[in-house]
């Protein structure tokens, strides 16, 4: 299994072949997930769409960021058997390397669902992407107004994930109802970060 130790290189991203307009039309909130895993290629594209590097010469990313301050961090909770060839656990996405940093080895999906006020589909989803932010990275440049810019950026990233999921035939839903401190505890999030979204991902249940 991948993920024994050290950073895990993700597959290079490719084109889903689905027109943007079709993905926009088809996007719906999905709360019913099958037990079928997603592929590492699918996870790679999802993470790239949210925070992947698209301008290597300047380190620019897939979503707009006020002043290129890049306040967002992605944490990935993988259920046991949730991603083909990847161990269950908690990972952090490393944008500049397009890689995963393993943080925890346990399946914390049940605990994450409890932190999300008992929403069962969070536990049933093969993968949950948590978008977190260090507001200070942007606020140091823009003051209190920077907090608004961070939340706008999180929305950009969330929409990219939703559209990429649709293009890949996956289902997803945006979750904002959760206990912040519990989410941080479940995934081992550093104190300076605040969770903004939980985004379950998986094959839609037929």
């Amino acid at each position: 299994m991948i993920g024994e130790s050290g950073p895990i290189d993700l597959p290079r991203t490719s084109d889903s072949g689905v027109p943007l307009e079709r993905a926009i039309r088809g996007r719906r909130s999905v709360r019913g997930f099958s037990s079928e895993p997603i592929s590492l290629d699918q996870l790679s594209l999802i993470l790239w769409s949210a925070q992947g590097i698209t301008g290597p010469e300047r380190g620019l990313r897939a979503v707009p960021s006020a002043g290129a301050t890049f306040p967002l961090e992605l944490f990935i909770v993988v259920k046991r058997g949730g991603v083909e060839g990847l161990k269950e656990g908690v990972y952090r996405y490393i944008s500049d390397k397009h890689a995963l940093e393993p943080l925890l080895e346990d399946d914390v999906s049940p605990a994450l669902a409890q932190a999300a006020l008992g929403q069962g589909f969070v536990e049933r989803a093969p993968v949950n992407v948590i978008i977190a932010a260090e507001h200070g990275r942007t606020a140091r440049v823009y003051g209190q107004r920077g907090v608004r810019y961070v939340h706008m950026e999180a929305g950009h990233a969330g929409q990219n994930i939703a559209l990429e999921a649709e293009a890949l035939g996956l289902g997803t839903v945006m979750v904002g109802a959760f206990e912040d401190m519990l989410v941080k505890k479940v995934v081992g999030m550093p104190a300076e970060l605040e969770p903004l979204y939980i985004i379950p991902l998986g094959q839609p249940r037929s």
Side-chain angles (χ1 to χ4, degrees), residues 22-76:
R22 187 187 305 171
I24 292 172
R25 270 194 297 270
R27 187 219 58 79
R28 295 291 182 272
S29 294
V30 173
R31 295 176 177 83
F33 301 101
S34 76
S35 58
E36 185 179 350
I38 71 171
S39 71
L40 197 60
D41 284 345
Q42 289 173 319
L43 180 60
S44 174
L45 271 169
I46 289 288
L47 298 177
W48 174 83
S49 74
Q51 283 290 281
I53 301 296
T54 57
E57 65 287 346
R58 295 176 55 197
L60 300 180
R61 301 188 187 182
V63 299
S65 180
T69 50
F70 305 124
L72 303 186
E73 298 283 349
L74 303 184
F75 293 80
I76 302 92

Side-chain angles (χ1 to χ4, degrees), residues 2 8-16 37-49 82-86 93 98 100 127 164-165 167-168 170 201 203:
I2 297 171
I8 302 161
D9 292 332
L10 289 166
R12 291 293 95 187
T13 56
S14 57
D15 191 338
S16 71
I38 71 171
S39 71
L40 197 60
D41 284 345
Q42 289 173 319
L43 180 60
S44 174
L45 271 169
I46 289 288
L47 298 177
W48 174 83
S49 74
V83 178
E84 294 173 352
L86 188 64
Y93 179 57
H98 192 56
L100 295 176
V127 174
E164 189 65 66
L168 295 171
L170 301 176
L201 286 164
Q203 301 288 348

Side-chain angles (χ1 to χ4, degrees), residues 129-205:
V129 176
I130 299 170
I131 300 180
E134 183 180 344
H135 291 82
R137 296 180 194 171
T138 307
R140 279 191 289 272
V141 179
Y142 296 103
Q144 186 60 29
R145 188 81 173 182
V147 174
R148 178 183 300 192
Y149 297 160
V150 171
H151 295 166
M152 291 166 62
E153 187 169 337
H156 303 327
Q159 182 73 343
N160 275 16
I161 288 174
L163 294 178
E164 189 65 66
E166 175 63 26
L168 295 171
L170 301 176
T172 189
V173 62
M174 302 294 145
V175 176
F178 50 80
E179 296 285 349
D180 292 13
M181 293 307 297
L182 288 179
V183 170
K184 293 178 70 167
K185 182 178 179 181
V186 167
V187 301
M189 191 177 295
E192 67 272 15
L193 295 178
E194 297 294 335
L196 299 178
Y197 267 135
I198 297 175
I199 305 178
L201 286 164
Q203 301 288 348
R205 187 177 60 210

Side-chain angles (χ1 to χ4, degrees), residues 84-102:
E84 294 173 352
L86 188 64
K87 293 182 69 173
E88 68 272 14
V90 179
Y91 300 84
R92 184 178 72 90
Y93 179 57
I94 307 171
S95 295
D96 58 354
K97 296 182 179 178
H98 192 56
L100 295 176
E101 175 191 7

